Amino acid sequence: MEATAGEASTSSQEAWRATLVEYYTTNAPAKVGLVTDAMMAKWEGRYDVLFQGMQKKYGPPGHPIAQDPPKARGPPARGGKKLTVGDCYDTFMQMVREQTPAPPGSRPEVSLVESKQAIAANGFETATFTVCARIRPVLDHDQPLGEDKFVCVLPAVAPHENNTHTEAAMVLSPKISFKGTPQLVPSSFTLDYVFSQESEQEIYDIVGAPLVDRASQGRTAVIFAYGQTGSGKTHTMNNIMDRVAVELCAKANHGAVKFSYLEIMGAHLTDPLVNEGEVKMGEVQGGAIELHNLSEHVAADSEQLLELISTAKAKRCVATTEKNDASSRSHGVAIFSVTMPGGEHRPKEGKLYVIDLAGSESAKDVRKHDKARMDETKQINISLNALKECIQARTLASSPGGAACTHVPFRRSKLTMLLKDVFDVRSPRLTATVVLATVNPFGADAGQSSATLGYAAPFRDAVGMFGRKRKPAVGDSELVLELDPLDPALWTSPQLSEWLQKHHPAAAEQLEGLTGIMLCVAPEAEVYERVGDAEVTHKLLEALWGLIVTAKMVKRRKDGTILTDEAEAAEEAAELAAAAARMDAQNARAAAAAKADAEARGLEPLV
């Protein structure tokens, strides 16, 4: 079958995107982040012109032209030598001590991973994000400190946000001013949690244990670590995996616990637990994502599960880089599955993804890479860019009325496609995602630490704006959204009972007393147990999720009122009629003016 023009255009654009990312990776690594949807749209149809200009500035592919360093400004230090950060170590240490922020206050007893899902508002949100940062502690191999190796990334008190618990990470970036004076440039990033001196167990208790609870209840949970290579991502994820293994087996509720491990390197998927060819990923009818040729191992107990995890860790793809002797060169995805007991109709399988993303690298980190390492870096950058674009699109889709007109490009990479349940607004699953940004604490990495925190912080706004009240823009008054009477999350107990009596009478008595939000967030296993009839429960949950997804796709006007398809068609027709009337009036005025001009000059008016 021949490709349509649209498909051919999309294919060409993706091919050019890969070409541009590969070129920047080899010739100008610091510019890779410029390859965005906005850039591709701006240069559509003129990619060859763009590529010629890039080569003129940065050289032919694989043969970069050295760029002139920025001209030094300000007076030189004594002796004619320009001061560096390393020359001012003692000064910067004193400045850091003076500017160290006050420690954060106490944390809420209930983890934010749990409390965020309790928000019930118009357009019930099925995906929540909890965004954290972990500032890597100073380790023995970091000694001795000196030059630009001093701690400048610190936990801080975050600004108050509508009774919502937040914490902050403060980056005090060391700079030499125009006049050659040492100074610290502060940057603050608001997050849900900022970990610094906490133990591995404390971090797990706050953000890991709630995800185990969700997986054991038949839901989808995700935790992934993102950050600079050498910032402790793999160490943190490995410790979380070990604790997940022990606790998940204890909470499986008579269900089978299964384990798989997937490595993602660009478009290539492999299974470190077996050597049976490449793993294939596809989207089947109905929208589910399936993995073929990926081994799945049933663990009888936590010891067997820990043994499987240990094997996966040992076979993970790593390589020596400028920054890290054992840098992860692929995305490592541990998949824990909990199968619920039952027959043909039973609760959905619980899933917990523990993802160690490949390390991000700055320009100075890749300067000594060979071709193989540069190819790996290119694939990593493409995948991380796709993840970032999905985050931004999911943020927009969570705004009032945004779901109906926003496309989340989760099919752009294998990683985001695997996480379809997180990014797809129409997903019939409750998902909870924890983002853990890991950063190095030292001044030498302040720029990369700021970039990491700036990448992860927007996740906090991906969900929560679809509530009854959105965050107003500067100078904007508070916008109250019209409530959707068809949104089951907003139903009172009598309204839910009425719907059950009408559509699912066999379950009405068993679910008596529940409100809409209570039923929406209830674990499927509990609903199956309460109703008693598996087939009736299956049909009930299927219908309920249809209503939830429909409510999320409701269109809204700028004033927050609901816009139905009929009203939208009527308003478009009215706008077209008004535009036609304005055009007719304008033509009439022009004709009258021409007639008056002709009469004034004694000419025959034009017919």
Side-chain angles (χ1 to χ4, degrees), residues 581-599 605-606:
R582 289 193 297 270
M583 183 62 70
D584 291 342
Q586 182 178 348
N587 291 337
R589 288 193 298 271
K595 180 179 179 181
D597 181 63
E599 290 176 351
L606 296 174

Side-chain angles (χ1 to χ4, degrees), residues 240-259:
I240 286 177
M241 273 198 292
D242 292 343
R243 288 166 171 79
V244 164
V246 174
E247 193 165 348
L248 193 59
C249 286
K251 292 187 175 182
N253 296 328
H254 308 293
V257 177
K258 296 178 289 186
F259 179 76

Side-chain angles (χ1 to χ4, degrees), residues 153 220 233 240 299 417 440 453 529:
V153 185
T220 298
K233 296 185 311 303
I240 286 177
M417 191 171 177
N440 286 313
L453 294 170
E529 182 178 358

Side-chain angles (χ1 to χ4, degrees), residues 103-116:
S106 60
R107 289 171 173 148
E109 293 183 5
V110 178
S111 171
L112 294 181
V113 179
E114 290 294 339
S115 61
K116 286 192 175 189

Side-chain angles (χ1 to χ4, degrees), residues 113-135:
V113 179
E114 290 294 339
S115 61
K116 286 192 175 189
Q117 191 66 74
I119 299 172
N122 201 15
F124 175 62
E125 189 54 71
T126 58
T128 61
F129 293 87
T130 304
V131 188
C132 319
R134 186 183 194 187
I135 304 169

Side-chain angles (χ1 to χ4, degrees), residues 17 54 66 126 133 160 165 206 299 368 413 470 598:
R17 179 191 296 271
M54 291 165 59
T126 58
H160 183 70
H165 176 79
I206 293 174
K368 293 184 179 179
S413 78
R470 70 167 173 84

